[in-house]
Amino acid sequence: MNTPISWIKAYVPDMDVSISQYVDDMTLSGSHVESYVELDKNLEKIVVGQIDKIERHPDADKLIICQVNVGEAEDIQIVTGAPNVKEGDLVPVVLVGGRVAGGHDKSPNPENGIKIKKGKLRGVESFGMMCSIEELGSNTDMYPDAPEFGIFIFGEDYQVKPGDDAVEALGLHDQVVEFEITSNRVDCFSMIGMAREAAATFDKPFYPPVITETGNDEDVNDYISVEVKDPDLCPRYTARVVNNIKLAPSPKWMQRRLAAVGIRPINNIVDVTNYVMIEYGQPMHAYDLSTIAGNKIIVRRANDGDVFTTLDGQERKVDSSVLMICDGEKEVGLAGIMGGENSMVTDEMDTLLLESANFDGTNIRLSSKKIGLRTDASGIFEKGLDPHNAIDAMNRACQLIEEMGAGEVVGGVIDVCSEMKEPVKLPLEVEKINALLGTDLSKEEMLGYLTKLELVYDEATNMLTIPTFRQDLGCMADLAEEVARFFGYDNIPVSLPRGEATVGKISFKGRVESLARDIAEENGFCGSMCYSFESPKVFDKLLLPKDSKLRDAIVISNPLGEDYSIMRTISLNGILNSLSTNYNRRNKEVRLYELGNVYLPKSLPLTELPEERMCLTLGMYGKCDFFTLKGVLEDMFEHIGIEKEVEYVPEKGYPFLHPGRQAKIMIGEDQLGWIGQAHPEVADNYNIKAEVYLAVIDMPVLTEHASFDRKYEGIAKFPAVHRDLSMVVEKGIFVGQIEKVLKKCGGAILEDVTLFDVYEGDQIKEGYKSVAYALTFRAKDRTLADTEVNEIVEKMMKELGKMGIELRA
């Protein structure tokens, strides 16, 4: 909503604040300012000048030398190339040292404007510049009488003399403020509504337009009759007639105001309807009465399949849900949207029919959307207008027409009203408002704010009468908001919330999932979003046997296509597709993870909802191997607080993994997931020519064993004892088996076990490998003796000897 400050001051004349204060205070009182424009920005030392004498330039055919009277003792000399000036013309002149905003499209227009200096044009001195309307920061839309190319010339209706302020004469000492109006404040989609807000914000009197009675001795009912067949869609319809229409340009003040809000002036009649729409927030429409068949207006629904040609010349298909304005024979307008081409106002019009109605907002919005036509009028009507406003807007329009001499208003008004909205009454609940806001305002203070908004208080009943234009006020909380915004949100003291609601927090499951994401991302993995819908072909790509339970997937009854026809039972396909995309785009090293559900049916066909099981899927290729991915998982388990020991058990039961590089991840008897290298054939199926490592963690099992309990242990007080063990081990024995024995024998004083070397070579007999561990021993209550540690090491070797393990010589 664009609002010129000069227009607001027409209703709040005592408002004398700077534009910055206006913008700040209006925003704080609830009318959010998007931006504002100063129309006189960079316009300095610009006066009205009269051209007294014109001579041709001696050295340039297209230049002339003008002697210009600017209200001083002597004329100033200005050289110009403007083709449209003559002696006696009054023009805007920027003096030496002044500024202009810019110029035509090819002229520079810096942020600070253009400063005018004394200069020479082809050897002749020039002491200023005569201005076009573009150089004054405006355009021909705002000033239709300005030439498209050339100097602006003041007409007789400007009533200016040399030396006057040209910027003031042009009405450019103004600012236009753009407000963001919420749809519930339909009253603020008007200048009067914004003026009310300004008056309340700055505590100044509000003076609405004074509407005088109009109309001659004739009766409007002799000219036109109105019938509303669908009162549910048109609660009120008012009409008046104007005779002896004299089409002409509207007054300069009206043209300026319309142009400032973005409406191009056309003629006095059209401009009046647009002006009243902006002023009152009530759209109006004008018809040529001679085109109204039978001198009758019928408001009814359209017939299915009808085609109607609107003012813009477009044919619109309508149906019975669209409300139409009709005459005795045909449709003449789309109610609340646009008039028809067959009843448009032309220069030959003699008698005017004015319409000011109230339509159902929901119907206007749906109709506008259905026929694909949204106008300024429909944008206002669809918000739901106050029916009381229709007659005021009608009388204001007729008043303006008579004041401008644009026609003779016929006496009387046709007012068909089926339903009139009555003012709402609300109790003034001071204690509840204070409790809601956390304030301690008195009843008198609250009434001071509310009565400024034209709410009427009845002391006897303690009731507030809400004016009908404030449709947004319907309960105590709405009144509290009005009090809060004029008391000042910044003045409301800080208070603690009261109530018995529990404090919200992330669930334990959510904390585990969040930490799993964090650890994955800390290790270089990027989150991936994969579809839950998949193709049955996925099972073949993953080499699943025909009798695999994972093939028992839920078939979607209305799939997007075959590729999205089942719910996934295994989470690998999405990650592998994402890795494949990255690989084929030549990303050399990629790590991806996904947290998502798999859908495991309890029976097929479905008799109950399937089990939705959350899985963490990790996939990577590049500079990595099996143990890189295993390290990421171990880091995750440590941070999540897995108290029991996690074991990696070699397994050959996953056909989509390399048969020699896969393992189950176990916590006691529970399987936490699996880890391994993708089978080369699977990698090839996804067009990945690299080793791919995958892991899937069953999140419900992980959550079951997770613990965020942390116990602090102080710095060790006693020294550690270190031992290195280098052993010869059969290749078939896993280091995990060895570590289990070491930890069992080491007991409480074995602080750390670190594998630091695995060797196979000429010095080791065939079928064996060398495995070396660094062991750290420490007691919390004493210094360990070598003999005590040696006994434990001997015990370890004795147990390992049962597995055929010997110390390396």
Side-chain angles (χ1 to χ4, degrees):
M1 176 73 184
N2 291 329
T3 62
I5 295 297
S6 60
W7 201 342
I8 296 296
K9 286 184 176 180
Y11 315 117
V12 193
D14 298 336
M15 186 181 71
D16 186 18
V17 296
S18 67
I19 183 62
S20 58
Q21 183 181 352
Y22 178 83
V23 165
D24 292 344
D25 289 2
M26 289 293 285
T27 297
L28 289 174
S29 68
S31 302
H32 176 63
V33 174
E34 284 283 345
S35 62
Y36 70 91
V37 175
E38 297 177 89
L39 299 183
D40 58 357
K41 183 179 181 181
N42 298 324
L43 302 183
E44 300 174 7
K45 297 181 69 174
I46 302 176
V47 299
V48 176
Q50 185 172 31
I51 302 174
D52 289 341
K53 185 179 180 181
I54 296 178
E55 298 175 338
R56 301 207 63 81
H57 194 290
D59 296 323
D61 293 339
K62 294 186 178 181
L63 295 179
I64 57 175
I65 304 170
C66 301
Q67 304 301 321
V68 184
N69 175 9
V70 292
E72 298 178 356
E74 296 182 0
D75 290 358
I76 64 171
Q77 179 172 284
I78 297 177
V79 181
T80 181
N84 66 317
V85 293
K86 63 183 183 300
E87 291 181 358
D89 283 347
L90 292 164
V91 297
V93 175
V94 55
L95 304 176
V96 172
R99 290 182 186 275
V100 291
H104 297 294
D105 294 339
K106 295 182 180 179
S107 302
N109 187 16
E111 180 66 22
N112 296 325
I114 301 173
K115 188 172 184 178
I116 302 303
K117 301 177 182 179
K118 172 185 173 182
K120 287 185 177 182
L121 277 77
R122 292 289 186 93
V124 178
E125 289 186 320
S126 182
F127 299 89
M129 185 180 78
M130 293 182 282
C131 303
S132 68
I133 200 65
E134 289 82 7
E135 288 162 336
L136 296 175
S138 191
N139 52 56
T140 54
D141 285 341
M142 191 165 182
Y143 295 88
D145 51 343
E148 187 175 357
F149 299 105
I151 303 302
F152 181 84
I153 299 173
F154 289 101
E156 294 181 359
D157 50 349
Y158 279 93
Q159 298 181 351
V160 294
K161 64 183 184 299
D164 286 352
D165 184 347
V167 178
E168 182 177 356
L170 290 166
L172 291 173
H173 284 313
D174 200 1
Q175 302 85 29
V176 178
V177 180
E178 180 186 2
F179 287 97
E180 179 189 9
I181 309 298
T182 54
S183 57
N184 66 320
R185 288 302 305 272
V186 65
D187 60 301
C188 287
F189 285 91
S190 67
M191 288 298 164
I192 289 177
M194 291 311 303
R196 283 196 185 99
E197 289 293 305
T201 298
F202 297 103
D203 199 17
K204 301 294 182 182
F206 167 66
Y207 300 96
V210 177
I211 301 176
T212 57
E213 186 177 347
T214 56
N216 57 23
D217 295 335
E218 296 180 277
D219 186 357
V220 68
N221 292 286
D222 295 335
Y223 285 82
I224 192 76
S225 63
V226 175
E227 179 185 1
V228 178
K229 291 188 175 181
D230 292 281
D232 56 322
L233 301 184
C234 180
R236 190 175 196 183
Y237 189 99
T238 68
R240 295 195 74 173
V241 173
V242 183
N243 273 328
N244 304 319
I245 294 297
K246 299 178 181 63
L247 291 180
S250 54
K252 289 288 186 292
W253 63 267
M254 182 176 286
Q255 292 185 28
R256 301 291 177 272
R257 288 183 177 180
L258 289 175
V261 298
I263 297 178
R264 185 174 180 273
I266 297 175
N267 58 51
N268 48 10
I269 298 301
V270 175
D271 290 355
V272 162
T273 60
N274 286 331
Y275 184 87
V276 173
M277 178 178 71
I278 299 299
E279 185 178 43
Y280 277 80
Q282 171 65 49
M284 302 184 66
H285 192 68
Y287 299 95
D288 184 344
L289 186 60
S290 65
T291 65
I292 304 300
N295 283 22
K296 184 174 184 178
I297 290 291
I298 302 172
V299 183
R300 61 168 176 79
R301 295 175 183 267
N303 298 314
D304 288 331
D306 281 357
V307 177
F308 179 70
T309 304
T310 48
L311 277 171
D312 56 3
Q314 300 294 314
E315 291 187 348
R316 314 283 180 176
K317 292 182 179 180
V318 295
D319 58 30
S320 58
S321 67
V322 179
L323 189 66
M324 303 295 294
I325 308 298
C326 309
D327 61 17
E329 299 176 355
K330 60 187 180 300
E331 295 94 345
V332 295
L334 289 167
I337 302 175
M338 184 179 282
E341 190 178 49
N342 54 13
S343 61
M344 65 187 299
V345 173
T346 64
D347 293 344
E348 290 75 30
M349 178 182 62
D350 181 67
T351 304
L352 172 74
L353 172 64
L354 275 178
E355 166 194 288
S356 178
N358 184 258
F359 301 112
D360 179 71
T362 301
N363 178 261
I364 296 298
R365 178 177 61 82
L366 294 175
S367 297
S368 174
K369 186 176 181 180
K370 179 174 292 185
I371 64 178
L373 177 62
R374 196 169 192 272
T375 61
D376 290 339
S378 68
I380 297 175
F381 272 123
E382 68 187 21
K383 295 173 177 62
L385 301 184
D386 176 15
H388 293 82
N389 205 32
I391 192 65
D392 291 338
M394 172 64 78
N395 292 333
R396 173 63 166 164
C398 291
Q399 175 192 10
L400 291 171
I401 288 173
E402 283 201 349
E403 288 178 355
M404 293 189 300
E408 181 183 354
V409 179
V410 173
V413 58
I414 293 179
D415 187 358
V416 179
C417 183
S418 61
E419 179 184 353
M420 186 59 70
K421 184 175 182 180
E422 296 299 325
V424 174
K425 294 182 182 291
L426 295 175
L428 178 60
E429 300 171 291
V430 176
E431 292 182 359
K432 287 186 178 180
I433 292 175
N434 277 325
L436 181 62
L437 299 179
T439 55
D440 189 21
L441 296 172
S442 65
K443 177 180 178 180
E444 289 70 24
E445 288 175 304
M446 289 187 187
L447 284 174
Y449 300 130
L450 297 174
T451 53
K452 286 194 301 185
L453 299 170
E454 301 184 31
L455 277 66
V456 180
Y457 179 66
D458 185 348
E459 184 74 39
T461 60
N462 192 41
M463 299 293 285
L464 286 163
T465 301
I466 313 300
T468 54
F469 60 79
R470 287 303 303 270
Q471 300 181 32
D472 59 308
L473 302 183
C475 63
M476 181 275 296
D478 295 330
L479 296 178
E481 183 181 5
E482 299 302 292
V483 171
R485 66 191 186 99
F486 289 108
F487 174 64
Y489 293 113
D490 53 334
N491 295 323
I492 296 176
V494 176
S495 59
L496 293 174
R498 289 176 292 178
E500 299 179 357
T502 57
V503 178
K505 65 177 182 179
I506 300 175
S507 66
F508 185 81
K509 172 179 174 289
R511 291 172 64 193
V512 173
E513 292 176 1
S514 178
L515 188 54
R517 285 191 189 93
D518 292 344
I519 299 302
E521 290 169 5
E522 287 175 9
N523 282 278
F525 286 77
C526 294
S528 177
M529 298 291 290
C530 304
Y531 289 114
S532 296
F533 304 155
E534 289 186 336
S535 167
K537 299 175 183 177
V538 167
F539 302 135
D540 294 332
K541 292 177 71 174
L542 293 176
L543 309 181
L544 292 177
K546 298 297 183 183
D547 59 350
S548 173
K549 289 185 177 181
L550 293 176
R551 287 182 177 265
D552 296 334
I554 301 167
V555 179
I556 300 170
S557 59
N558 55 341
L560 299 174
E562 185 183 0
D563 289 343
Y564 305 97
S565 60
I566 62 170
M567 302 297 292
R568 67 179 181 179
T569 57
I570 185 169
S571 60
L572 285 184
N573 180 63
I575 285 290
L576 286 170
N577 274 325
S578 297
L579 291 173
S580 174
T581 300
N582 280 274
Y583 181 82
N584 287 286
R585 292 182 181 176
R586 301 188 179 182
N587 290 327
K588 295 181 180 180
E589 185 175 1
V590 176
R591 300 184 177 194
L592 298 176
Y593 79 90
E594 183 209 6
L595 264 172
N597 286 333
V598 293
Y599 303 85
L600 306 175
K602 298 173 184 177
S603 62
L604 287 177
L606 286 177
T607 56
E608 55 182 316
L609 292 175
E611 180 183 6
E612 298 183 26
R613 205 159 183 89
M614 178 68 70
C615 294
L616 170 66
T617 308
L618 302 170
M620 61 196 300
Y621 68 80
K623 297 179 182 178
C624 59
D625 57 19
F626 181 93
F627 297 102
T628 305
L629 186 53
K630 180 172 177 284
V632 174
L633 295 179
E634 289 176 344
D635 185 23
M636 185 180 300
F637 299 153
E638 180 182 355
H639 280 82
I640 289 177
I642 302 298
E643 296 179 346
K644 292 183 179 180
E645 184 176 359
V646 177
E647 294 185 71
Y648 297 82
V649 181
E651 178 66 55
K652 294 185 180 180
Y654 302 103
F656 42 79
L657 296 179
H658 191 294
R661 298 175 187 173
Q662 57 176 275
K664 289 193 300 185
I665 306 172
M666 304 295 295
I667 301 181
E669 299 297 323
D670 297 331
Q671 182 173 350
L672 181 55
W674 51 260
I675 180 175
Q677 178 187 337
H679 195 289
E681 188 176 340
V682 170
D684 189 60
N685 287 341
Y686 285 90
N687 199 25
I688 305 175
K689 309 302 181 183
E691 292 184 355
V692 179
Y693 294 92
L694 304 164
V696 172
I697 301 300
D698 191 347
M699 293 304 294
V701 176
L702 182 65
T703 303
E704 181 183 345
H705 291 277
S707 171
F708 290 104
D709 293 336
R710 296 290 185 269
K711 295 180 181 179
Y712 170 76
E713 291 187 4
I715 298 174
K717 297 179 180 179
F718 299 96
V721 178
H722 300 281
R723 292 286 188 273
D724 289 345
L725 291 180
S726 181
M727 300 167 284
V728 178
V729 183
E730 290 185 15
K731 288 185 178 181
I733 297 176
F734 296 100
V735 292
Q737 297 172 269
I738 300 172
E739 289 178 8
K740 187 181 293 186
V741 172
L742 295 177
K743 290 176 181 178
K744 178 180 177 182
C745 296
I749 65 172
L750 180 61
E751 185 177 80
D752 186 53
V753 178
T754 303
L755 175 68
F756 69 87
D757 184 54
V758 176
Y759 172 73
E760 296 180 27
D762 296 337
Q763 300 177 10
I764 307 299
K765 59 184 178 180
E766 188 176 351
Y768 286 79
K769 59 186 175 182
S770 172
V771 178
Y773 280 96
L775 307 180
T776 301
F777 298 89
R778 192 196 307 268
K780 296 181 180 181
D781 57 350
R782 67 189 187 281
T783 299
L784 291 173
D786 284 344
T787 55
E788 187 177 358
V789 174
N790 291 338
E791 289 178 1
I792 294 175
V793 172
E794 289 176 2
K795 182 180 178 182
M796 290 176 176
M797 292 309 304
K798 183 178 180 181
E799 289 296 320
L800 291 172
K802 297 177 181 179
M803 300 167 62
I805 299 173
E806 299 176 353
L807 286 173
R808 182 178 174 185

